[in-house]
mmCIF file of all heavy atoms in Angstrom:
data_model
loop_
_atom_site.group_PDB
_atom_site.id
_atom_site.type_symbol
_atom_site.label_atom_id
_atom_site.label_comp_id
_atom_site.label_asym_id
_atom_site.label_seq_id
_atom_site.Cartn_x
_atom_site.Cartn_y
_atom_site.Cartn_z
ATOM 1 N N ARG L 60 18.010 -8.623 12.802
ATOM 2 C CA ARG L 60 18.904 -7.996 13.771
ATOM 3 C C ARG L 60 19.338 -8.981 14.833
ATOM 4 O O ARG L 60 18.598 -9.927 15.143
ATOM 5 C CB ARG L 60 18.263 -6.753 14.390
ATOM 6 C CG ARG L 60 17.078 -6.980 15.271
ATOM 7 C CD ARG L 60 16.688 -5.718 16.040
ATOM 8 N NE ARG L 60 16.654 -4.520 15.199
ATOM 9 C CZ ARG L 60 16.241 -3.337 15.638
ATOM 10 N NH1 ARG L 60 15.814 -3.205 16.875
ATOM 11 N NH2 ARG L 60 16.238 -2.295 14.836
ATOM 12 N N LYS L 80 7.720 1.302 4.355
ATOM 13 C CA LYS L 80 8.956 1.816 3.750
ATOM 14 C C LYS L 80 9.026 1.435 2.269
ATOM 15 O O LYS L 80 9.306 2.274 1.416
ATOM 16 C CB LYS L 80 10.134 1.204 4.519
ATOM 17 C CG LYS L 80 11.436 1.904 4.329
ATOM 18 C CD LYS L 80 12.534 1.238 5.158
ATOM 19 C CE LYS L 80 12.317 1.376 6.648
ATOM 20 N NZ LYS L 80 13.483 0.934 7.433
ATOM 21 N N ASP L 134 20.723 -5.801 9.570
ATOM 22 C CA ASP L 134 20.153 -4.782 10.443
ATOM 23 C C ASP L 134 21.125 -4.650 11.611
ATOM 24 O O ASP L 134 22.267 -5.121 11.544
ATOM 25 C CB ASP L 134 18.739 -5.169 10.899
ATOM 26 C CG ASP L 134 17.991 -3.990 11.495
ATOM 27 O OD1 ASP L 134 17.584 -3.103 10.743
ATOM 28 O OD2 ASP L 134 17.835 -3.943 12.732
ATOM 29 N N MET L 135 20.641 -4.063 12.683
ATOM 30 C CA MET L 135 21.496 -3.851 13.839
ATOM 31 C C MET L 135 22.192 -5.169 14.255
ATOM 32 O O MET L 135 21.532 -6.203 14.384
ATOM 33 C CB MET L 135 20.593 -3.372 14.967
ATOM 34 C CG MET L 135 21.282 -2.747 16.118
ATOM 35 S SD MET L 135 20.062 -2.475 17.393
ATOM 36 C CE MET L 135 19.097 -1.172 16.684
ATOM 37 N N GLY L 136 23.486 -5.119 14.410
ATOM 38 C CA GLY L 136 24.226 -6.291 14.886
ATOM 39 C C GLY L 136 24.550 -7.323 13.818
ATOM 40 O O GLY L 136 25.192 -8.331 14.107
ATOM 41 N N ARG L 176 25.964 -1.309 -1.502
ATOM 42 C CA ARG L 176 24.925 -1.736 -0.566
ATOM 43 C C ARG L 176 25.298 -1.433 0.883
ATOM 44 O O ARG L 176 24.468 -0.971 1.661
ATOM 45 C CB ARG L 176 24.638 -3.254 -0.715
ATOM 46 C CG ARG L 176 23.706 -3.839 0.366
ATOM 47 C CD ARG L 176 22.339 -3.169 0.359
ATOM 48 N NE ARG L 176 21.444 -3.623 1.430
ATOM 49 C CZ ARG L 176 21.323 -3.038 2.615
ATOM 50 N NH1 ARG L 176 22.054 -1.984 2.920
ATOM 51 N NH2 ARG L 176 20.451 -3.498 3.509
ATOM 52 N N THR L 180 22.255 2.780 3.249
ATOM 53 C CA THR L 180 21.311 3.464 4.149
ATOM 54 C C THR L 180 21.853 4.846 4.518
ATOM 55 O O THR L 180 21.125 5.845 4.486
ATOM 56 C CB THR L 180 21.026 2.605 5.385
ATOM 57 O OG1 THR L 180 20.657 1.304 4.942
ATOM 58 C CG2 THR L 180 19.895 3.176 6.210
ATOM 59 N N GLN L 215 23.721 10.064 16.756
ATOM 60 C CA GLN L 215 23.787 8.987 17.753
ATOM 61 C C GLN L 215 24.008 7.668 17.019
ATOM 62 O O GLN L 215 23.198 7.292 16.180
ATOM 63 C CB GLN L 215 22.483 8.907 18.551
ATOM 64 C CG GLN L 215 22.560 7.842 19.647
ATOM 65 C CD GLN L 215 21.220 7.602 20.310
ATOM 66 O OE1 GLN L 215 20.176 7.587 19.656
ATOM 67 N NE2 GLN L 215 21.232 7.419 21.612
ATOM 68 N N GLY L 216 25.108 6.982 17.349
ATOM 69 C CA GLY L 216 25.398 5.695 16.724
ATOM 70 C C GLY L 216 26.365 5.871 15.562
ATOM 71 O O GLY L 216 26.059 6.581 14.596
ATOM 72 N N LEU L 217 27.541 5.255 15.685
ATOM 73 C CA LEU L 217 28.503 5.318 14.584
ATOM 74 C C LEU L 217 28.670 3.910 14.008
ATOM 75 O O LEU L 217 29.773 3.449 13.757
ATOM 76 C CB LEU L 217 29.842 5.901 15.077
ATOM 77 C CG LEU L 217 30.654 6.657 14.033
ATOM 78 C CD1 LEU L 217 29.917 7.865 13.489
ATOM 79 C CD2 LEU L 217 31.998 7.094 14.615
ATOM 80 N N GLY L 218 27.533 3.241 13.827
ATOM 81 C CA GLY L 218 27.538 1.917 13.212
ATOM 82 C C GLY L 218 27.404 2.063 11.714
ATOM 83 O O GLY L 218 27.760 3.096 11.139
ATOM 84 N N ASN L 219 26.860 1.063 11.079
ATOM 85 C CA ASN L 219 26.767 1.085 9.618
ATOM 86 C C ASN L 219 26.070 2.365 9.125
ATOM 87 O O ASN L 219 26.609 3.110 8.308
ATOM 88 C CB ASN L 219 26.021 -0.171 9.150
ATOM 89 C CG ASN L 219 25.844 -0.177 7.646
ATOM 90 O OD1 ASN L 219 25.318 0.775 7.075
ATOM 91 N ND2 ASN L 219 26.270 -1.226 6.985
ATOM 92 N N VAL L 220 24.891 2.626 9.639
ATOM 93 C CA VAL L 220 24.102 3.754 9.119
ATOM 94 C C VAL L 220 24.721 5.086 9.545
ATOM 95 O O VAL L 220 24.954 5.978 8.717
ATOM 96 C CB VAL L 220 22.639 3.647 9.617
ATOM 97 C CG1 VAL L 220 21.828 4.824 9.104
ATOM 98 C CG2 VAL L 220 22.011 2.329 9.178
ATOM 99 N N ILE L 240 27.372 10.447 19.632
ATOM 100 C CA ILE L 240 26.941 9.717 20.833
ATOM 101 C C ILE L 240 27.096 8.231 20.555
ATOM 102 O O ILE L 240 26.569 7.720 19.559
ATOM 103 C CB ILE L 240 25.461 10.030 21.161
ATOM 104 C CG1 ILE L 240 25.235 11.554 21.224
ATOM 105 C CG2 ILE L 240 25.044 9.353 22.463
ATOM 106 C CD1 ILE L 240 23.767 11.959 21.300
ATOM 107 N N GLU L 241 27.832 7.545 21.398
ATOM 108 C CA GLU L 241 27.985 6.090 21.259
ATOM 109 C C GLU L 241 27.609 5.416 22.581
ATOM 110 O O GLU L 241 27.201 6.073 23.526
ATOM 111 C CB GLU L 241 29.420 5.747 20.817
ATOM 112 C CG GLU L 241 29.514 5.340 19.342
ATOM 113 C CD GLU L 241 28.782 4.035 19.001
ATOM 114 O OE1 GLU L 241 28.621 3.183 19.897
ATOM 115 O OE2 GLU L 241 28.350 3.864 17.849
ATOM 116 N N ARG L 242 27.761 4.088 22.614
ATOM 117 C CA ARG L 242 27.385 3.327 23.813
ATOM 118 C C ARG L 242 28.043 3.837 25.087
ATOM 119 O O ARG L 242 27.448 3.839 26.154
ATOM 120 C CB ARG L 242 27.885 1.883 23.682
ATOM 121 C CG ARG L 242 27.108 1.005 22.782
ATOM 122 C CD ARG L 242 27.884 -0.299 22.666
ATOM 123 N NE ARG L 242 27.568 -0.979 21.434
ATOM 124 C CZ ARG L 242 26.568 -1.836 21.319
ATOM 125 N NH1 ARG L 242 25.833 -2.139 22.348
ATOM 126 N NH2 ARG L 242 26.310 -2.406 20.162
ATOM 127 N N ALA L 293 20.810 7.437 14.951
ATOM 128 C CA ALA L 293 21.132 6.349 14.015
ATOM 129 C C ALA L 293 21.535 5.096 14.787
ATOM 130 O O ALA L 293 22.398 4.342 14.347
ATOM 131 C CB ALA L 293 22.251 6.787 13.072
ATOM 132 N N ALA L 294 20.915 4.904 15.963
ATOM 133 C CA ALA L 294 21.305 3.732 16.752
ATOM 134 C C ALA L 294 20.104 2.849 17.089
ATOM 135 O O ALA L 294 19.957 1.752 16.542
ATOM 136 C CB ALA L 294 22.018 4.169 18.019
ATOM 137 N N LEU L 295 19.241 3.344 17.968
ATOM 138 C CA LEU L 295 18.191 2.484 18.532
ATOM 139 C C LEU L 295 16.827 3.139 18.441
ATOM 140 O O LEU L 295 16.727 4.336 18.204
ATOM 141 C CB LEU L 295 18.414 2.270 20.033
ATOM 142 C CG LEU L 295 19.783 2.008 20.579
ATOM 143 C CD1 LEU L 295 19.750 2.257 22.075
ATOM 144 C CD2 LEU L 295 20.134 0.568 20.296
ATOM 145 N N ALA L 315 17.399 8.356 11.073
ATOM 146 C CA ALA L 315 18.169 7.328 10.363
ATOM 147 C C ALA L 315 17.899 5.950 10.961
ATOM 148 O O ALA L 315 17.865 4.949 10.253
ATOM 149 C CB ALA L 315 19.651 7.664 10.413
ATOM 150 N N ALA L 316 17.706 5.886 12.277
ATOM 151 C CA ALA L 316 17.364 4.609 12.926
ATOM 152 C C ALA L 316 15.887 4.329 12.699
ATOM 153 O O ALA L 316 15.133 5.202 12.276
ATOM 154 C CB ALA L 316 17.654 4.685 14.419
ATOM 155 N N ASN L 317 15.477 3.123 12.999
ATOM 156 C CA ASN L 317 14.055 2.793 12.949
ATOM 157 C C ASN L 317 13.407 3.151 14.285
ATOM 158 O O ASN L 317 13.903 2.749 15.338
ATOM 159 C CB ASN L 317 13.879 1.297 12.699
ATOM 160 C CG ASN L 317 14.063 0.948 11.231
ATOM 161 O OD1 ASN L 317 13.544 1.636 10.351
ATOM 162 N ND2 ASN L 317 14.790 -0.124 10.958
ATOM 163 N N ASN L 342 15.474 6.168 6.141
ATOM 164 C CA ASN L 342 16.461 5.079 6.087
ATOM 165 C C ASN L 342 16.109 4.021 5.034
ATOM 166 O O ASN L 342 16.580 2.885 5.104
ATOM 167 C CB ASN L 342 16.681 4.470 7.478
ATOM 168 C CG ASN L 342 15.463 3.772 8.026
ATOM 169 O OD1 ASN L 342 14.695 3.175 7.285
ATOM 170 N ND2 ASN L 342 15.292 3.816 9.335
HETATM 171 P P1 LIG Z 501 24.870 -1.136 13.795
HETATM 172 O O1 LIG Z 501 24.816 -2.250 14.763
HETATM 173 O O2 LIG Z 501 25.851 -1.189 12.668
HETATM 174 O O3 LIG Z 501 25.190 0.239 14.564
HETATM 175 C C1 LIG Z 501 24.516 0.677 15.703
HETATM 176 C C2 LIG Z 501 25.444 1.649 16.411
HETATM 177 O O4 LIG Z 501 24.768 2.215 17.520
HETATM 178 C C3 LIG Z 501 26.711 0.971 16.947
HETATM 179 O O5 LIG Z 501 27.846 1.743 16.662
HETATM 180 C C4 LIG Z 501 26.457 0.908 18.448
HETATM 181 O O6 LIG Z 501 27.638 0.916 19.218
HETATM 182 C C5 LIG Z 501 25.617 2.156 18.656
HETATM 183 N N1 LIG Z 501 24.804 2.089 19.857
HETATM 184 C C6 LIG Z 501 24.201 1.017 20.405
HETATM 185 N N2 LIG Z 501 23.570 1.362 21.542
HETATM 186 C C7 LIG Z 501 23.773 2.674 21.699
HETATM 187 C C8 LIG Z 501 23.376 3.597 22.684
HETATM 188 N N3 LIG Z 501 22.644 3.238 23.718
HETATM 189 N N4 LIG Z 501 23.755 4.884 22.533
HETATM 190 C C9 LIG Z 501 24.509 5.270 21.482
HETATM 191 N N5 LIG Z 501 24.928 4.435 20.529
HETATM 192 C C10 LIG Z 501 24.559 3.151 20.629
HETATM 193 O O7 LIG Z 501 23.386 -0.927 13.285
HETATM 194 P P2 LIG Z 501 22.902 -0.184 11.975
HETATM 195 O O8 LIG Z 501 22.754 -1.195 10.903
HETATM 196 O O9 LIG Z 501 23.728 1.028 11.762
HETATM 197 O O10 LIG Z 501 21.429 0.215 12.415
HETATM 198 C C11 LIG Z 501 21.166 1.381 13.174
HETATM 199 C C12 LIG Z 501 19.691 1.713 13.065
HETATM 200 O O11 LIG Z 501 19.361 1.896 11.687
HETATM 201 C C13 LIG Z 501 18.735 0.632 13.564
HETATM 202 O O12 LIG Z 501 17.592 1.268 14.107
HETATM 203 C C14 LIG Z 501 18.366 -0.114 12.311
HETATM 204 O O13 LIG Z 501 17.119 -0.768 12.436
HETATM 205 C C15 LIG Z 501 18.294 1.026 11.328
HETATM 206 N N6 LIG Z 501 18.444 0.643 9.921
HETATM 207 C C16 LIG Z 501 19.554 -0.011 9.464
HETATM 208 C C17 LIG Z 501 19.657 -0.309 8.110
HETATM 209 C C18 LIG Z 501 20.900 -0.940 7.529
HETATM 210 O O14 LIG Z 501 20.987 -1.034 6.287
HETATM 211 N N7 LIG Z 501 21.869 -1.368 8.313
HETATM 212 C C19 LIG Z 501 18.624 0.026 7.235
HETATM 213 C C20 LIG Z 501 17.509 0.697 7.732
HETATM 214 C C21 LIG Z 501 17.442 1.007 9.078
#
Side-chain angles (χ1 to χ4, degrees):
R60 67 169 46 175
K80 197 179 294 190
D134 195 73
M135 196 188 290
R176 172 60 184 93
T180 309
Q215 183 189 39
L217 209 61
N219 178 306
V220 179
I240 308 170
E241 255 295 334
R242 284 173 205 271
L295 318 163
N317 280 316
N342 66 34

